[in-house]
């Protein structure tokens, strides 16, 4: 994939098999948590949007750029353009930290401590605020629905190279990462990651 697309087959599957989501939706309506969703048709519109969002597909590079944008306070790291408000960025990172890894989120918060989002495709996006992000894709899933190798990779690369990953970039005015910081981060991250990737692949 060269960009962000919607996979229609996944959308149909989500819509036809999302019984738990329908149940949660009705519960939220009953509790007044979904505004203006007092009828079945209005709830259906909410769920339709949710199923469509669950069916978005992209490549690892695109996902990592999304994460870097969140790490950069909502500004695209290549153009400097603000594409997400500061408030929305903060809210998204808070949600990713508290529940982005399904039922494993609490343990992830203690063991890894980064905002992250996983998907049942095998993707994991981890964000290091004010530093950067990295994305990985490996389909075998654990019992929580998270990538087995992705979880292991994240834990091990942070443990073995924490200083490089948590060292802030050199920033230009306005908070955009300078090229020297990017190159330094990229070099140290790649050096640490290559040997780890070889081990995790086994």
């Amino acid at each position: 994939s060269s960009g962000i697309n919607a996979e229609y087959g996944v959308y149909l599957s989500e819509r036809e098999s999302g019984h738990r989501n329908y149940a949660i939706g009705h519960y939220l309506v009953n509790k007044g948590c979904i505004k203006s969703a007092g009828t079945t048709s209005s709830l259906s519109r909410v769920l339709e949007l949710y199923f469509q969002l669950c069916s978005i597909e992209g490549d690892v590079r695109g996902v990592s750029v999304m994460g870097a944008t969140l790490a950069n306070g909502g500004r695209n790291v290549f153009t400097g353009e603000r594409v997400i408000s500061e408030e929305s960025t903060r809210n998204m990172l808070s949600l990713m930290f508290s529940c982005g890894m399904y039922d494993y989120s609490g343990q992830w918060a203690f063991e890894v401590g980064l905002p992250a989002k996983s998907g049942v495709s095998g993707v994991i996006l981890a964000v290091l605020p004010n530093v950067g992000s990295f994305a990985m894709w490996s389909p075998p899933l654990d019992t929580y629905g998270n990538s087995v190798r992705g979880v292991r990779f994240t834990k091990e690369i942070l443990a073995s190279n924490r200083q490089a990953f948590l060292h802030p970039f050199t920033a230009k005015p306005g908070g955009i990462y300078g090229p020297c910081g990017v190159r330094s981060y990229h070099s140290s991250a790649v050096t640490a990651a290559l040997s780890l990737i070889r081990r995790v692949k086994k």
Side-chain angles (χ1 to χ4, degrees):
S1 173
S2 59
I4 303 300
N5 306 290
E7 174 54 54
Y8 189 66
V10 174
Y11 159 70
L12 291 178
S13 175
E14 289 283 336
R15 188 176 66 174
E16 293 172 3
S17 62
H19 305 298
R20 184 179 183 184
N21 293 312
Y22 285 110
I24 293 173
H26 285 292
Y27 179 79
L28 292 175
V29 170
N30 181 258
K31 292 296 183 179
C33 297
I34 298 180
K35 295 181 180 179
S36 303
T39 67
T40 302
S41 60
S42 56
L43 174 59
S44 296
R45 289 195 295 270
V46 172
L47 290 171
E48 281 291 308
L49 175 60
Y50 172 77
F51 294 141
Q52 292 171 29
L53 293 174
C54 287
S55 307
I56 293 175
E57 65 173 8
D59 55 29
V60 172
R61 182 183 185 279
V63 173
S64 65
V65 171
M66 293 181 207
T69 299
L70 291 173
N72 198 34
R75 292 186 181 273
N76 184 288
V77 291
F78 295 106
T79 66
E81 178 187 1
R82 173 164 296 285
V83 293
I84 309 172
S85 70
E86 291 184 2
E87 181 181 8
S88 294
T89 300
R90 183 176 62 250
N91 292 343
M92 291 169 69
L93 291 174
S94 296
L95 285 171
M96 290 170 68
F97 184 77
S98 62
C99 55
M101 298 292 288
Y102 302 118
D103 290 344
Y104 185 65
S105 297
Q107 191 170 339
W108 173 272
F110 277 95
E111 296 179 353
V112 179
L114 295 177
K117 182 69 186 85
S118 67
V120 294
S121 66
V123 67
I124 293 180
L125 169 65
V127 177
L128 293 78
N130 301 316
V131 178
S133 74
F134 53 93
M136 63 217 82
W137 178 73
S138 180
L141 306 179
D142 58 22
T143 55
Y144 297 103
N146 301 315
S147 168
V148 173
R149 290 174 177 168
V151 171
R152 179 184 168 192
F153 176 85
T154 306
K155 289 181 180 179
E156 292 196 22
I157 199 168
L158 286 176
S160 63
N161 201 41
R162 182 169 294 273
Q163 182 177 0
F165 273 98
L166 299 183
H167 184 72
F169 286 151
T170 302
K172 295 180 179 178
I176 306 305
Y177 301 142
C180 294
V182 172
R183 282 199 295 270
S184 174
Y185 174 82
H186 181 267
S187 176
S188 60
V190 169
T191 300
L194 286 177
S195 61
L196 178 57
I197 289 172
R198 296 188 184 101
R199 295 204 310 272
V200 172
K201 284 176 66 178
K202 296 179 180 179

